[in-house]
Amino acid sequence: MWEDKFLSNKERKFYKDVFGQIEGAEFIEILKLKFNPIVKSYGFSGNKNHFYKKNSPFIYTIQIFKDKYGGNCALNVGVHLLKIETGRIELPSIPSKYNIYDCLISKNIPMNNNNSWYYYGKTTEEGIETVSIMIEMLKEKGIPFLDQFTKYPHPFDKISLKDLEYPTEKYGKYGLSKEKLNKSYTLVFLAHFNLDFGNKDKGFKILNLVWQKECERFKNFADSPYYLKIKQLRENYR
């Protein structure tokens, strides 16, 4: 019922009023009853709004983000490589602490009408219907996305230096858009991955690419937030 094609303009306004939805505590109970068992059937651990799964060296996360005003939530999945850093933030020491913000790759899982927000519903029955849609979208979109990351080192080993110098949408299906491939934190990650995987020549060339990019951003390279991480990687793998 939450897809716009099934609702009149009046119904959209009524059903998508965030202040008229069931309480967040009740929605969480519905998630615990309906959503959590499905997630755990895929091998994930966790509860409420945060789940994780380790398939070393891959780490997967599923997270439900509640709107700060209440009444609706978003469903997201993420994937990262354990201990491979981006230089943005310090990575968690254990898999259970990983969340979407720690992952290089993340994806929002919207409904089929591309609406990213799932409204709780105005009754318990509508809440159950919302959770059923979330489960359906997780199965159709979220899990297949994560399943692309099961055969290490694929897809990261396929990304060439040329792909990074002249980024395109070639790896978009993996959550690595042209824009993301152009980010310094992605380059730090790929440099660290290659160094750790034994491709030192490629790894150092990617570090040089980050260095060039950051020198363009900062007159003093030491002001770059990636300065210390680049220096550390060079020292650790020389």
Side-chain angles (χ1 to χ4, degrees):
M1 67 170 291
W2 296 118
E3 293 194 38
D4 286 343
K5 65 182 179 181
F6 297 125
L7 301 174
S8 66
N9 289 333
K10 184 177 180 180
E11 288 173 325
R12 286 181 197 134
K13 184 177 180 180
F14 176 77
Y15 284 116
K16 297 186 177 183
D17 171 14
V18 296
F19 299 107
Q21 311 296 313
I22 60 175
E23 293 294 324
E26 181 178 356
F27 191 73
I28 288 174
E29 288 302 312
I30 298 172
L31 285 171
K32 287 170 62 176
L33 182 65
K34 302 288 185 178
F35 187 83
N36 292 20
I38 299 298
V39 174
K40 292 185 176 182
S41 73
Y42 286 103
F44 284 81
S45 300
N47 54 57
K48 290 186 178 179
N49 64 338
H50 175 224
F51 304 87
Y52 72 95
K53 178 181 176 180
K54 180 182 176 182
N55 179 22
S56 191
F58 292 106
I59 181 76
Y60 315 109
T61 65
I62 297 174
Q63 276 190 268
I64 298 171
F65 290 95
K66 295 180 288 184
D67 182 87
K68 64 179 180 180
Y69 298 111
N72 58 69
C73 62
L75 176 61
N76 297 271
V77 300
V79 62
H80 199 78
L81 291 177
L82 290 166
K83 300 180 181 179
I84 301 299
E85 299 181 77
T86 62
R88 288 188 299 179
I89 54 177
E90 185 175 350
L91 292 177
S93 58
I94 56 177
S96 63
K97 297 298 183 181
Y98 273 79
N99 61 46
I100 290 293
Y101 300 112
D102 299 309
C103 295
L104 172 70
I105 295 170
S106 61
K107 182 177 177 64
N108 174 255
I109 308 300
M111 290 183 279
N112 286 332
N113 63 351
N114 288 324
N115 183 1
S116 295
W117 293 100
Y118 296 83
Y119 288 81
Y120 293 170
K122 293 183 176 292
T123 65
T124 299
E125 290 72 21
E126 290 177 359
I128 292 172
E129 183 178 355
T130 295
V131 172
S132 295
I133 294 172
M134 293 173 67
I135 292 170
E136 181 182 350
M137 295 300 100
L138 179 69
K139 290 179 176 179
E140 288 185 6
K141 302 176 182 180
I143 298 301
F145 179 80
L146 295 178
D147 281 346
Q148 297 180 109
F149 304 90
T150 57
K151 297 179 180 179
Y152 180 82
H154 182 81
F156 304 111
D157 60 326
K158 303 300 181 185
I159 303 173
S160 69
L161 190 64
K162 185 177 180 180
D163 290 326
L164 300 176
E165 292 173 333
Y166 306 99
T168 66
E169 294 297 333
K170 181 178 178 181
Y171 297 97
K173 71 175 185 177
Y174 299 106
L176 293 166
S177 64
K178 174 182 177 180
E179 181 182 5
K180 180 158 253 181
L181 286 175
N182 202 36
K183 297 290 187 181
S184 291
Y185 63 80
T186 302
L187 297 177
V188 171
F189 172 92
L190 291 170
H192 193 180
F193 157 74
N194 278 283
L195 292 168
D196 190 68
F197 193 60
N199 295 329
K200 287 191 175 183
D201 182 63
K202 184 177 178 182
F204 284 122
K205 285 180 178 178
I206 297 174
L207 280 182
N208 288 337
L209 195 60
V210 189
W211 179 82
Q212 292 171 10
K213 185 180 291 292
E214 291 301 292
C215 281
E216 292 174 1
R217 292 179 60 203
F218 299 93
K219 290 182 179 180
N220 181 3
F221 177 55
D223 291 334
S224 166
Y226 303 102
Y227 169 74
L228 291 178
K229 182 52 59 182
I230 292 172
K231 181 180 178 181
Q232 180 185 43
L233 288 172
R234 281 177 168 167
E235 292 175 351
N236 289 349
Y237 289 93
R238 64 184 176 184

